[in-house]
């Protein structure tokens, strides 16, 4: 018995235009804007390009913040959909909440008779996987506990922020484009939407812990999904 492995030789470089005119609160940015436009070509055994377009705007309405983000992340080029590159997942907790990998069971899967995912055993999950993603997010950030100058309730406790949110996004591939249809049982690569509330706490300046509860509209029969992140708000 012999086993042959494939050796990969890759070279990559990144060019990016970055701007940050935002002001950071205890758990997330509260005013200003941020953007990052980035291209990373990868050459060698595999040939593909990674493209990131990310823009964020924060409207400060003391003490509240209305935060909005639009983002595209995609793989392009000859080998952009090679198994050796891997796929992108829209349901990550930092992208569209309520569609996390571990929250799916067989009960979430409803097969469809038509569409690009008609042959999938679970189009509700497979529509979240692709080589290109587009995401839109909106949050109303409310500093519940904080200092006397920034917080509804001045408190010596660690700063806590609550944030009602709406997330939306779509994933697609070169051969399977997104379709503007919000039916949960569709066999197409339809957008997914969720809404819910997040809570973030500053752990003594060491880290920001987030817990959220999201209702995913494109998961028939799902009342809500809990999730956790260890990172500041976007």
């Amino acid at each position: 018995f012999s086993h042959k492995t494939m050796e990969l030789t890759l070279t990559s470089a990144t060019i990016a235009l970055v701007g940050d005119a935002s002001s950071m609160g205890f758990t997330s940015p509260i005013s200003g804007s941020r953007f990052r436009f980035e291209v990373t070509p990868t050459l060698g055994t595999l040939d593909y390009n990674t493209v990131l377009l990310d823009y964020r705007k924060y409207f400060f309405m003391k003490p509240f913040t209305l935060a909005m983000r639009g983002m595209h992340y995609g793989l392009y080029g000859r080998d952009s959909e090679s198994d050796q590159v891997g796929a992108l997942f829209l349901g990550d907790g930092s992208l569209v909440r309520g569609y996390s990998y571990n929250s799916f069971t067989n009960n979430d899967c409803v097969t469809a008779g038509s569409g690009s995912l008609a042959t999938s055993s679970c189009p509700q999950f497979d529509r979240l996987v692709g080589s290109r993603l587009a995401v839109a997010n909106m949050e109303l950030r409310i500093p519940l506990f904080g200092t006397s100058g920034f917080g509804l309730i001045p408190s010596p406790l660690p700063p806590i922020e609550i944030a009602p949110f709406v997330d939306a996004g779509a994933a697609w591939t070169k051969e399977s484009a997104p379709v503007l249809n919000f039916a949960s049982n569709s066999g197409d690569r339809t957008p997914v939407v969720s809404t819910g509330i997040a809570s973030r706490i500053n752990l003594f300046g060491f880290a920001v812990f987030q817990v959220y509860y999201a209702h995913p509209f494109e998961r028939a029969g799902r009342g809500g999904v809990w999730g956790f992140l260890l990172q500041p708000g976007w």
Side-chain angles (χ1 to χ4, degrees):
F1 177 79
S2 64
H3 177 70
K4 182 178 181 180
T5 59
M6 182 177 179
E7 180 178 340
L8 296 179
T9 302
L10 302 173
T11 300
S12 66
T14 297
I15 182 170
L17 177 64
V18 181
D20 190 346
S22 65
S23 297
M24 189 70 184
F26 291 116
T27 60
S28 58
I30 59 172
S31 66
S33 62
R34 289 177 172 179
F35 67 86
R36 186 178 186 93
F37 307 143
E38 177 182 295
V39 178
T40 303
T42 300
L43 304 174
T45 309
L46 302 174
D47 185 354
Y48 62 95
N49 301 293
T50 305
V51 176
L52 173 65
L53 307 174
D54 187 339
Y55 182 78
R56 311 171 186 194
K57 181 68 177 177
Y58 311 103
F59 299 94
F60 186 54
M61 303 169 289
K62 189 176 182 180
F64 310 112
T65 294
L66 180 62
M68 296 186 292
R69 176 177 69 172
M71 185 178 71
H72 169 62
Y73 185 61
L75 305 175
Y76 295 85
R78 185 189 69 195
D79 299 309
S80 60
E81 296 181 358
S82 167
D83 292 340
Q84 293 170 299
V85 175
L88 307 177
F89 182 58
L90 184 64
D92 184 86
S94 63
L95 298 175
V96 180
R97 287 161 283 195
Y99 297 86
S100 60
Y101 176 84
N102 291 329
S103 69
F104 274 83
T105 68
N106 290 334
N107 294 331
D108 291 291
C109 302
V110 180
T111 57
S114 62
S116 60
L117 299 175
T119 60
S120 168
S121 60
C122 190
Q124 288 71 28
F125 179 82
D126 288 342
R127 70 174 57 142
L128 303 172
V129 180
S131 58
R132 298 161 190 179
L133 308 177
V135 177
N137 311 93
M138 183 169 64
E139 287 188 352
L140 178 62
R141 295 172 177 169
I142 305 169
L144 186 60
F145 295 112
T147 64
S148 58
F150 187 72
L152 293 179
I153 304 174
S155 171
L157 297 173
I160 296 177
E161 169 185 271
I162 58 174
F165 65 82
V166 177
D167 294 341
W172 68 96
T173 67
K174 289 188 291 185
E175 304 298 330
S176 179
V179 175
L180 190 59
N181 178 353
F182 293 93
S184 60
N185 61 348
S186 171
D188 290 308
R189 286 188 168 274
T190 59
V192 296
V193 181
S194 67
T195 186
I197 189 166
S199 177
R200 302 184 181 100
I201 181 171
N202 186 308
L203 301 176
F204 307 102
F206 174 74
V208 175
F209 177 74
Q210 176 185 164
V211 57
Y212 63 83
Y213 181 78
H215 174 72
F217 290 102
E218 278 65 52
R219 297 179 66 178
R222 275 282 182 175
V225 176
W226 290 94
F228 307 90
L229 293 172
L230 193 63
Q231 63 184 48
W234 49 263

